Amino acid sequence: MSEKKFKRSAHVVLTSHSKQLYKSSLKINWGAKTPKERGPVIGSLTDIKERNAIGTHSGSYSVYRALSIAQGSYKTDHRPDLHNTESPVKIGPYASWFDPDKMVSIDPWGLDVQLNFKELYDQGYDIRPTISVTQAHLQLPEIHDAIRAGRLKVDGKIVKENMDIKVTKVALEPVWYLPGIAKRLGVEEGELRKILFQETGGMFPELVTRPDLKVMLPPIGSTTVYIFGNPADLADSKVELTCRVHDECNGSDVFGSDICTCRPYLIYGIEDAARTAQRGGVGIIAYYRKEGRALGEVTKFLVYNARKRQEGGDSAATYFRRTECVAGVEDARFQELMPDILQFFGITKIHNLHSMSNMKYNAIVKSGIEVVNRIQIPAELIPADAQVEIEAKKAAGYFTPGEVKKGDALEKVKGRPIDE
């Protein structure tokens, strides 16, 4: 790679005028069939003349990078050494990579940029990855229980002798193609840009002053994917595929809080994904950072308190109403962008979808992916205090082949008081 050196100016330069257009800023042709035709997304700050995107890399962690720079512990001219960082498995390209409408919230060519854009990278362009792939072992006590119970077997390949599960892990940072995002949401691009500018407190003036910049690196969390079996099989519609699309819930997923079904459903999905891989199929768990229905954990805890302190106590009959009272909306996740992650892997058919959410199911099907079976969480895995959540969701129309409580029966489903 070129030893080209850059020194960042000490004065602030606002990219809000047409004179900020530079010849060295490469054009992005979203949906092109080769990385060379498409062009790299450059959000790095080592040379502002190369930038062709709004925002910068690492999502919300860019703020921590700024703090490190302010403290003097991070060099502003640092450029990642990407030697030996390439993916250990081949992923893509797939037909979905070449369709500008299939993926609008991630950049498929953000994987192995030092290879996809080798010529430009060797010339010294500071092109940084937005996708990375590695391999790992999962150690989960519930999986150990499943093995002891005979639901999973040690095969030495998917489930190791020490009861670890071997997986391929993929991290994907958001890269938004704004015209595609607007089209997906059914709004005008100009309106979307204006609202993004306003609702982030004016954080990115280029949203309204630089309509020529069509790509944004938003300061939000990434998505992590865990693959069980051969990643290449995800794109083969003849190979059985088990999938769980899961939105982050720190309280349950990490700490085991029993007010919701998140961890039990997640673990059940992992177990079934591993079991599918063992019988010759492939499994995928996609983990999205949308804490508290994308309303945040502070809002989530306020809702918990409101639910449990209301007259009559925590009830399935008022489950969604209390969220809307506090947050202004029942659910801010929408899900229109969620299938992009599945499209990255060339998925066209899901045989077993672990999700009761109609929003997720409808978004996946609308994206062109066939869903054969939908699988709800087994009743025996639902914590006692989470009965309020699950019965409220079923009453609201979430997928279930079982009984749906209404009226007095729904009203009688109660959670614990706040002080117990």
Side-chain angles (χ1 to χ4, degrees):
M1 187 176 72
S2 168
E3 292 299 317
K4 186 178 176 184
K5 297 286 186 182
F6 302 103
K7 185 175 181 181
R8 187 152 347 147
S9 173
H11 68 278
V12 175
V13 179
L14 296 176
T15 52
S16 58
H17 304 288
S18 58
K19 68 180 182 180
Q20 296 297 330
L21 298 172
Y22 300 102
K23 291 181 179 179
S24 53
S25 179
L26 302 171
K27 186 177 180 181
I28 298 173
N29 300 298
W30 201 265
K33 291 191 175 182
T34 67
K36 186 173 183 179
E37 292 176 76
R38 213 298 302 275
V41 173
I42 302 179
S44 50
L45 299 165
T46 48
D47 187 350
I48 63 169
K49 294 181 179 180
E50 294 178 355
R51 287 172 51 80
N52 59 6
I54 300 168
T56 188
H57 294 286
S58 301
S60 57
Y61 294 102
S62 61
V63 178
Y64 288 104
R65 183 173 66 239
L67 294 179
S68 295
I69 290 171
Q71 190 185 43
S73 57
Y74 190 108
K75 295 182 178 179
T76 58
D77 61 352
H78 171 74
R79 295 164 61 97
D81 178 359
L82 299 179
H83 179 64
N84 279 341
T85 63
E86 63 272 12
S87 171
V89 298
K90 179 172 173 53
I91 296 176
Y94 300 109
S96 53
W97 293 27
F98 317 137
D99 186 334
D101 294 328
K102 288 293 186 185
M103 281 182 284
V104 298
S105 63
I106 55 172
D107 173 17
W109 299 110
L111 172 66
D112 293 340
V113 293
Q114 72 277 25
L115 304 179
N116 287 327
F117 303 103
K118 187 177 188 307
E119 184 178 344
L120 292 169
Y121 186 78
D122 289 345
Q123 288 175 23
Y125 278 89
D126 190 0
I127 308 167
R128 303 196 182 188
T130 54
I131 300 175
S132 61
V133 183
T134 190
Q135 293 182 319
H137 287 193
L138 304 184
Q139 298 181 334
L140 297 164
E142 294 96 331
I143 294 301
H144 294 183
D145 293 341
I147 294 169
R148 295 186 186 104
R151 298 194 306 272
L152 272 180
K153 61 182 180 181
V154 172
D155 62 353
K157 183 180 178 182
I158 303 298
V159 180
K160 297 295 186 176
E161 286 76 9
N162 65 349
M163 297 192 285
D164 288 358
I165 298 180
K166 183 182 179 183
V167 295
T168 299
K169 295 198 301 186
V170 186
L172 305 99
E173 290 180 0
V175 179
W176 287 3
Y177 178 57
L178 294 172
I181 296 280
K183 183 178 180 181
R184 188 79 63 86
L185 299 182
V187 300
E188 294 294 325
E189 181 189 344
E191 183 69 7
L192 172 67
R193 296 173 78 110
K194 181 184 75 173
I195 293 173
L196 283 171
F197 172 72
Q198 292 172 333
E199 295 302 316
T200 55
M203 186 182 294
F204 300 103
E206 300 96 327
L207 283 166
V208 293
T209 63
R210 292 288 306 276
D212 57 298
L213 294 176
K214 299 296 186 182
V215 173
M216 179 183 183
L217 303 176
I220 60 175
S222 58
T223 300
T224 309
V225 167
Y226 293 80
I227 302 169
F228 304 75
N230 183 0
D233 286 341
L234 291 168
D236 188 343
S237 62
K238 296 186 294 294
V239 175
E240 183 185 10
L241 192 160
T242 292
C243 171
R244 166 75 179 158
V245 283
H246 187 92
D247 291 329
E248 177 183 29
C249 176
N250 182 64
S252 177
D253 297 343
V254 178
F255 292 99
S257 174
D258 68 345
I259 199 171
C260 63
T261 59
C262 295
R263 181 180 174 93
Y265 211 168
L266 174 62
I267 296 296
Y268 182 59
I270 290 173
E271 179 184 326
D272 202 26
R275 191 161 40 242
T276 302
Q278 287 189 322
R279 60 176 178 254
V282 63
I284 181 171
I285 304 292
Y287 193 88
Y288 301 83
R289 293 336 191 273
K290 298 177 187 175
E291 177 66 62
R293 299 192 197 130
L295 296 168
E297 207 166 28
V298 169
T299 296
K300 178 195 278 191
F301 290 5
L302 295 174
V303 170
Y304 288 166
N305 290 347
R307 280 171 47 190
K308 290 182 175 294
R309 285 188 174 127
Q310 68 186 325
E311 185 177 350
D314 190 11
S315 168
T318 57
Y319 174 81
F320 287 106
R321 193 184 314 156
R322 295 308 298 143
T323 300
E324 190 168 1
C325 288
V326 175
V329 65
E330 289 182 3
D331 196 323
R333 290 174 292 185
F334 49 98
Q335 302 296 355
E336 279 84 350
L337 306 180
M338 176 269 293
D340 288 18
I341 299 297
L342 307 178
Q343 295 288 350
F344 173 70
F345 297 100
I347 294 172
T348 59
K349 187 174 185 178
I350 297 173
H351 299 78
N352 310 300
L353 176 64
H354 282 249
S355 176
M356 296 170 66
S357 166
N358 291 331
M359 290 174 65
K360 292 178 180 178
Y361 170 79
N362 291 338
I364 290 171
V365 172
K366 188 177 179 180
S367 77
I369 298 173
E370 178 186 357
V371 175
V372 180
N373 300 309
R374 296 177 69 181
I375 300 174
Q376 71 172 8
I377 183 172
E380 64 270 18
L381 297 182
I382 301 171
D385 203 40
Q387 292 293 336
V388 168
E389 174 204 62
I390 202 69
E391 294 301 337
K393 287 182 173 180
K394 289 193 291 186
Y398 277 53
F399 168 78
T400 177
E403 176 195 7
V404 176
K405 290 183 170 63
K406 297 179 180 179
D408 290 342
L410 188 65
E411 183 70 39
K412 290 177 181 177
V413 180
K414 301 285 187 179
R416 278 196 315 271
I418 194 169
D419 57 351
E420 283 189 9

